Amino acid sequence: MSEFFDIYNLMILALAIAIFLRLRSVLGRRTGNERPPYDPYTARSGNESRGNDNVVSLPRQGANAQAAGPEPSVVEERLKPVATKDTPLYNALKEIVVADPSFEPKQFLNGAQMAYEMIVTAFAGGDRDTLRPLLSEEVMEGFSAAISDREAHGQSMSTTLIGIDKMSITDASLKAKVARVTTRIDSQMISATYDRDGNLVDGDPNKVADVVDVWTFERRVDVDNPNWTLVATESA
């Protein structure tokens, strides 16, 4: 009985060896159609072949849409509240909107109002740190010189902005990717300057004065920074 099993086991072993050698001869042979090993860290170039030639890559719309600018109806809707159509101001603002589709004149005026309040308050308090990021270098030099002159004479200034009656855009331009927008600001404020002994030397702490300022703001339209800088000031 043991000899029978020994012969039977030898036959199975021989059959297994034969099958193994057959599989090895087939699986070990390269046909020339094998795919290279997949490397997830290797970037694909645009010229390499794709597995499915029927797949079409759609063009990116971001750059083209921004280059084309907003629709004419959108531009007109934005500019209607701040400028009359076909006027020099309207056309200048239109150029800015086309160059910078994110430009909203009404939002710009809201931001300019906030900047006006911050700058007036910071100037009265001699706060150069607050002024510096809001002003151009030239305007900062002028403001800083005025603050230094007050300090040298031992003077202090008190300014209370009662409110802004009206703010409007009066001029605009776009040159070499630099947008400039000029605003007229009609406000009411109380302002007084005192010497080191507390004596009044200028203004009136009990009188509300009507003040008209013309401020010009500037920013590059080809950068992501949305902040405008005050580049010129004058009193109307």
Side-chain angles (χ1 to χ4, degrees):
M1 180 68 67
S2 59
E3 293 180 358
F4 172 79
F5 280 109
D6 289 340
I7 295 174
Y8 181 74
N9 291 337
L10 288 175
M11 292 176 61
I12 293 177
L13 179 60
L15 180 62
I17 293 174
I19 294 174
F20 171 76
L21 293 175
R22 177 60 179 171
L23 288 175
R24 182 181 180 185
S25 66
V26 175
L27 296 178
R29 184 183 302 129
R30 299 183 60 85
T31 65
N33 296 322
E34 294 82 2
R35 294 183 180 181
Y38 173 67
D39 183 0
Y41 300 101
T42 301
R44 294 185 177 182
S45 65
N47 295 327
E48 68 178 350
S49 61
R50 292 173 174 80
N52 189 346
D53 293 336
N54 294 326
V55 177
V56 179
S57 298
L58 297 177
R60 296 178 60 186
Q61 299 179 2
N64 293 334
Q66 185 168 355
E71 295 292 332
S73 59
V74 175
V75 175
E76 185 174 351
E77 188 67 24
R78 290 186 189 180
L79 301 184
K80 186 187 302 182
V82 298
T84 303
K85 191 174 182 180
D86 296 329
T87 61
L89 176 60
Y90 182 96
N91 293 334
L93 289 173
K94 180 180 178 180
E95 287 186 30
I96 297 176
V97 173
V98 172
D100 178 14
S102 66
F103 177 64
E104 293 272 3
K106 292 187 69 175
Q107 292 183 4
F108 165 83
L109 287 174
N110 292 334
Q113 178 173 332
M114 294 176 60
Y116 181 78
E117 295 173 0
M118 291 177 61
I119 292 170
V120 167
T121 302
F123 174 72
D127 186 353
R128 293 180 177 84
D129 291 338
T130 297
L131 291 172
R132 192 167 288 108
L134 301 173
L135 314 180
S136 67
E137 291 184 7
E138 182 179 359
V139 175
M140 182 63 200
E141 288 178 3
F143 276 44
S144 183
I147 294 172
S148 297
D149 184 65
R150 287 203 314 258
E151 294 172 343
H153 289 84
Q155 296 177 347
S156 60
M157 185 177 184
S158 173
T159 297
T160 302
L161 181 62
I162 304 301
I164 295 177
D165 297 329
K166 183 180 179 181
M167 177 175 282
S168 59
I169 297 176
T170 59
D171 195 16
S173 66
L174 178 65
K175 296 179 181 179
K177 300 296 183 181
V178 176
R180 280 198 171 198
V181 179
T182 300
T183 59
R184 175 189 167 110
I185 308 159
D186 295 75
S187 66
Q188 292 183 329
M189 63 178 67
I190 300 173
S191 184
T193 303
Y194 304 89
D195 63 16
R196 59 172 48 91
D197 297 323
N199 299 315
L200 180 67
V201 296
D202 190 28
D204 189 341
N206 300 312
K207 181 181 180 180
V208 177
D210 293 325
V211 179
V212 179
D213 287 306
V214 178
W215 285 14
T216 300
F217 296 88
E218 177 183 286
R219 75 173 290 266
R220 294 194 62 88
V221 298
D222 58 347
V223 299
D224 293 332
N225 185 359
N227 296 326
W228 292 76
T229 303
L230 179 63
V231 296
T233 65
E234 61 179 301
S235 297

